[in-house]
Amino acid sequence: MTIQSPPTRLAVLALALLMAGCAVGPTYQRPTMDVPAGFKEMQGVWLPAAPADALDRGPWWQLFGDVQLNALAEQVEVSNQNVAAAVAAYAQARAAVAVQRAQMFPTVGLNLGGDRSGGRGSTSGTRSSYQLNIGASWEPDVWGRLRLATDSAGAAAQASAADLAAARLASQGELVAAYVALRQTDTQRALLAQTIQGYERSLQIAQNRYDAGIVARTDVLQAQTQLANTRADDLTLQRQRAQTEHAIAVLVGKAPANFSLAAQPQWTPTVPAIPVLVPSTLLQRRPDIASAERRVAQANAQIGIAQSAYYPNIGLSASIGTGGPRISDLFSASSLVWALGASLAQTLFSAGARGAQ
């Protein structure tokens, strides 16, 4: 191999740097709404929204003052499968950002190889050959495609973080609602048990009076019907409680067969105070709305990525290596070989695929 004289690449590199500002794609702007100055009934005024979806909500379930509810809510954070899936999706989105960001830097590779060849018909006998090569390739972000891909991945990661917050908040809210419903069922069953005892005494009184010939048998049948209907209502509540208990088991990541909650007939929760402005302020803290806005930013970046396909791809490469019949030749300056290269690729005809994308 012969050493070639290095051609002048400074002009190509300077042109690539000058074209670095030629980014394509629309600039993202948050959606706006044309709203009037006040409400339709003219009883208030509109105020600019102050997004607060990133604020820490804290252990809000502790406002109910129930120790067992607090313990169950903590299990949702670590054992709920929907939350675990959202955590994994967020980790995947963050990794995608790192992958896209890494494409903006050169890629360097090392190649070391050796072979030995020969044969009966060979005049030169057995030969050995060794090669050592270090190469690098880089695609300058001339049209801003790599930057837009990074922005798109970043917006997707932010949307995934909001999805995680939404999954966590939804699971916690479902748990609290199910727990309150279960305790409400316990209270209803306790009241119904007292009612059943009263109807049993009424039936016994009606039976005694009927045996004494004071009343007709219809009074006994009516008392039996009341008692049977009340016991049926108790069975219905018992089934509802079992279903609610199974739902709580799934929310905390446990098998329903291995989970149970003891009844608390005298459960008295602490009802937290609800301020008047909760409906409007909650809209600014909803993570699903924040996720939707981030998806819009992601789609906006994808438009720029699609538009960059109309322009050619530019690539730069460089390599340096040595080779020879002996390992010692790998460290000899006389066997040093280097190469610099540039490439440009452009799609001339795609049958409308670029525009469709």
mmCIF file of all heavy atoms in Angstrom, residues 263-284:
data_model
loop_
_atom_site.group_PDB
_atom_site.id
_atom_site.type_symbol
_atom_site.label_atom_id
_atom_site.label_comp_id
_atom_site.label_asym_id
_atom_site.label_seq_id
_atom_site.Cartn_x
_atom_site.Cartn_y
_atom_site.Cartn_z
ATOM 1 N N ALA A 263 -62.930 -5.861 58.650
ATOM 2 C CA ALA A 263 -64.037 -4.913 58.653
ATOM 3 C C ALA A 263 -63.903 -3.909 59.788
ATOM 4 O O ALA A 263 -63.417 -4.241 60.871
ATOM 5 C CB ALA A 263 -65.365 -5.663 58.763
ATOM 6 N N GLN A 264 -64.318 -2.674 59.511
ATOM 7 C CA GLN A 264 -64.339 -1.608 60.512
ATOM 8 C C GLN A 264 -65.720 -0.952 60.499
ATOM 9 O O GLN A 264 -65.937 0.054 59.823
ATOM 10 C CB GLN A 264 -63.241 -0.582 60.233
ATOM 11 C CG GLN A 264 -61.817 -1.096 60.389
ATOM 12 C CD GLN A 264 -60.786 -0.009 60.204
ATOM 13 O OE1 GLN A 264 -61.105 1.175 60.121
ATOM 14 N NE2 GLN A 264 -59.525 -0.404 60.137
ATOM 15 N N PRO A 265 -66.659 -1.504 61.243
ATOM 16 C CA PRO A 265 -68.025 -0.951 61.210
ATOM 17 C C PRO A 265 -68.106 0.474 61.726
ATOM 18 O O PRO A 265 -69.014 1.219 61.324
ATOM 19 C CB PRO A 265 -68.813 -1.923 62.094
ATOM 20 C CG PRO A 265 -67.985 -3.174 62.138
ATOM 21 C CD PRO A 265 -66.576 -2.731 62.061
ATOM 22 N N GLN A 266 -67.199 0.851 62.633
ATOM 23 C CA GLN A 266 -67.258 2.182 63.233
ATOM 24 C C GLN A 266 -66.240 3.136 62.596
ATOM 25 O O GLN A 266 -65.669 3.991 63.269
ATOM 26 C CB GLN A 266 -67.003 2.075 64.746
ATOM 27 C CG GLN A 266 -67.938 1.135 65.476
ATOM 28 C CD GLN A 266 -69.384 1.568 65.375
ATOM 29 O OE1 GLN A 266 -69.692 2.756 65.321
ATOM 30 N NE2 GLN A 266 -70.300 0.587 65.334
ATOM 31 N N TRP A 267 -65.992 2.987 61.317
ATOM 32 C CA TRP A 267 -64.991 3.828 60.636
ATOM 33 C C TRP A 267 -65.487 5.257 60.520
ATOM 34 O O TRP A 267 -66.580 5.535 60.028
ATOM 35 C CB TRP A 267 -64.716 3.266 59.245
ATOM 36 C CG TRP A 267 -63.617 3.984 58.507
ATOM 37 C CD1 TRP A 267 -62.314 4.045 58.854
ATOM 38 C CD2 TRP A 267 -63.755 4.728 57.294
ATOM 39 N NE1 TRP A 267 -61.608 4.767 57.929
ATOM 40 C CE2 TRP A 267 -62.474 5.201 56.956
ATOM 41 C CE3 TRP A 267 -64.828 5.019 56.458
ATOM 42 C CZ2 TRP A 267 -62.232 5.965 55.809
ATOM 43 C CZ3 TRP A 267 -64.590 5.776 55.324
ATOM 44 C CH2 TRP A 267 -63.311 6.240 55.014
ATOM 45 N N THR A 268 -64.687 6.202 61.020
ATOM 46 C CA THR A 268 -65.041 7.623 60.973
ATOM 47 C C THR A 268 -63.888 8.384 60.325
ATOM 48 O O THR A 268 -62.899 8.744 60.990
ATOM 49 C CB THR A 268 -65.304 8.169 62.386
ATOM 50 O OG1 THR A 268 -64.165 7.881 63.220
ATOM 51 C CG2 THR A 268 -66.546 7.531 62.983
ATOM 52 N N PRO A 269 -63.946 8.633 59.032
ATOM 53 C CA PRO A 269 -62.837 9.312 58.354
ATOM 54 C C PRO A 269 -62.838 10.802 58.625
ATOM 55 O O PRO A 269 -63.842 11.396 59.035
ATOM 56 C CB PRO A 269 -63.117 9.028 56.873
ATOM 57 C CG PRO A 269 -64.606 8.940 56.804
ATOM 58 C CD PRO A 269 -65.036 8.308 58.108
ATOM 59 N N THR A 270 -61.684 11.402 58.374
ATOM 60 C CA THR A 270 -61.543 12.852 58.431
ATOM 61 C C THR A 270 -61.780 13.414 57.040
ATOM 62 O O THR A 270 -61.045 13.106 56.105
ATOM 63 C CB THR A 270 -60.143 13.248 58.932
ATOM 64 O OG1 THR A 270 -59.932 12.678 60.229
ATOM 65 C CG2 THR A 270 -60.003 14.747 58.992
ATOM 66 N N VAL A 271 -62.814 14.212 56.895
ATOM 67 C CA VAL A 271 -63.138 14.785 55.584
ATOM 68 C C VAL A 271 -62.324 16.054 55.388
ATOM 69 O O VAL A 271 -62.477 17.018 56.135
ATOM 70 C CB VAL A 271 -64.640 15.082 55.478
ATOM 71 C CG1 VAL A 271 -64.967 15.666 54.102
ATOM 72 C CG2 VAL A 271 -65.459 13.824 55.724
ATOM 73 N N PRO A 272 -61.397 16.074 54.402
ATOM 74 C CA PRO A 272 -60.574 17.278 54.205
ATOM 75 C C PRO A 272 -61.409 18.429 53.660
ATOM 76 O O PRO A 272 -62.400 18.233 52.954
ATOM 77 C CB PRO A 272 -59.526 16.814 53.193
ATOM 78 C CG PRO A 272 -60.164 15.678 52.467
ATOM 79 C CD PRO A 272 -61.066 15.002 53.450
ATOM 80 N N ALA A 273 -60.974 19.626 54.002
ATOM 81 C CA ALA A 273 -61.654 20.828 53.506
ATOM 82 C C ALA A 273 -61.301 21.047 52.036
ATOM 83 O O ALA A 273 -60.150 20.897 51.627
ATOM 84 C CB ALA A 273 -61.240 22.041 54.333
ATOM 85 N N ILE A 274 -62.292 21.373 51.237
ATOM 86 C CA ILE A 274 -62.102 21.584 49.798
ATOM 87 C C ILE A 274 -62.259 23.070 49.508
ATOM 88 O O ILE A 274 -63.348 23.629 49.700
ATOM 89 C CB ILE A 274 -63.117 20.771 48.989
ATOM 90 C CG1 ILE A 274 -62.974 19.271 49.312
ATOM 91 C CG2 ILE A 274 -62.925 21.004 47.494
ATOM 92 C CD1 ILE A 274 -63.974 18.406 48.612
ATOM 93 N N PRO A 275 -61.201 23.750 49.039
ATOM 94 C CA PRO A 275 -61.338 25.181 48.734
ATOM 95 C C PRO A 275 -62.206 25.411 47.504
ATOM 96 O O PRO A 275 -62.441 24.507 46.694
ATOM 97 C CB PRO A 275 -59.888 25.619 48.490
ATOM 98 C CG PRO A 275 -59.166 24.368 48.123
ATOM 99 C CD PRO A 275 -59.832 23.258 48.857
ATOM 100 N N VAL A 276 -62.677 26.622 47.365
ATOM 101 C CA VAL A 276 -63.613 26.943 46.288
ATOM 102 C C VAL A 276 -62.932 26.884 44.919
ATOM 103 O O VAL A 276 -63.536 26.480 43.929
ATOM 104 C CB VAL A 276 -64.213 28.346 46.524
ATOM 105 C CG1 VAL A 276 -65.166 28.721 45.383
ATOM 106 C CG2 VAL A 276 -64.942 28.387 47.858
ATOM 107 N N LEU A 277 -61.641 27.254 44.822
ATOM 108 C CA LEU A 277 -60.967 27.357 43.535
ATOM 109 C C LEU A 277 -60.331 26.057 43.069
ATOM 110 O O LEU A 277 -59.540 26.053 42.154
ATOM 111 C CB LEU A 277 -59.884 28.440 43.614
ATOM 112 C CG LEU A 277 -60.382 29.861 43.851
ATOM 113 C CD1 LEU A 277 -59.211 30.831 43.889
ATOM 114 C CD2 LEU A 277 -61.369 30.278 42.771
ATOM 115 N N VAL A 278 -60.671 24.942 43.685
ATOM 116 C CA VAL A 278 -60.069 23.670 43.278
ATOM 117 C C VAL A 278 -60.356 23.318 41.816
ATOM 118 O O VAL A 278 -59.465 22.900 41.098
ATOM 119 C CB VAL A 278 -60.528 22.545 44.224
ATOM 120 C CG1 VAL A 278 -60.354 21.178 43.588
ATOM 121 C CG2 VAL A 278 -59.715 22.603 45.503
ATOM 122 N N PRO A 279 -61.586 23.447 41.291
ATOM 123 C CA PRO A 279 -61.824 23.036 39.895
ATOM 124 C C PRO A 279 -60.916 23.718 38.884
ATOM 125 O O PRO A 279 -60.452 23.090 37.951
ATOM 126 C CB PRO A 279 -63.295 23.410 39.681
ATOM 127 C CG PRO A 279 -63.901 23.345 41.048
ATOM 128 C CD PRO A 279 -62.807 23.834 41.968
ATOM 129 N N SER A 280 -60.648 25.028 39.039
ATOM 130 C CA SER A 280 -59.812 25.719 38.066
ATOM 131 C C SER A 280 -58.331 25.428 38.273
ATOM 132 O O SER A 280 -57.586 25.251 37.307
ATOM 133 C CB SER A 280 -60.059 27.230 38.146
ATOM 134 O OG SER A 280 -59.740 27.701 39.453
ATOM 135 N N THR A 281 -57.899 25.357 39.505
ATOM 136 C CA THR A 281 -56.476 25.114 39.745
ATOM 137 C C THR A 281 -56.082 23.674 39.433
ATOM 138 O O THR A 281 -54.945 23.417 39.038
ATOM 139 C CB THR A 281 -56.120 25.433 41.207
ATOM 140 O OG1 THR A 281 -56.975 24.654 42.079
ATOM 141 C CG2 THR A 281 -56.327 26.901 41.503
ATOM 142 N N LEU A 282 -56.995 22.733 39.569
ATOM 143 C CA LEU A 282 -56.671 21.349 39.252
ATOM 144 C C LEU A 282 -56.396 21.161 37.767
ATOM 145 O O LEU A 282 -55.591 20.310 37.382
ATOM 146 C CB LEU A 282 -57.804 20.422 39.681
ATOM 147 C CG LEU A 282 -57.849 20.050 41.168
ATOM 148 C CD1 LEU A 282 -58.983 19.076 41.435
ATOM 149 C CD2 LEU A 282 -56.528 19.432 41.606
ATOM 150 N N LEU A 283 -57.043 21.943 36.913
ATOM 151 C CA LEU A 283 -56.776 21.845 35.482
ATOM 152 C C LEU A 283 -55.324 22.167 35.169
ATOM 153 O O LEU A 283 -54.747 21.605 34.235
ATOM 154 C CB LEU A 283 -57.703 22.792 34.714
ATOM 155 C CG LEU A 283 -59.180 22.400 34.646
ATOM 156 C CD1 LEU A 283 -59.981 23.482 33.945
ATOM 157 C CD2 LEU A 283 -59.340 21.073 33.915
ATOM 158 N N GLN A 284 -54.725 23.059 35.928
ATOM 159 C CA GLN A 284 -53.335 23.436 35.698
ATOM 160 C C GLN A 284 -52.358 22.410 36.249
ATOM 161 O O GLN A 284 -51.178 22.459 35.925
ATOM 162 C CB GLN A 284 -53.052 24.806 36.329
ATOM 163 C CG GLN A 284 -53.926 25.907 35.768
ATOM 164 C CD GLN A 284 -53.700 27.247 36.449
ATOM 165 O OE1 GLN A 284 -53.920 28.285 35.865
ATOM 166 N NE2 GLN A 284 -53.230 27.225 37.682
#
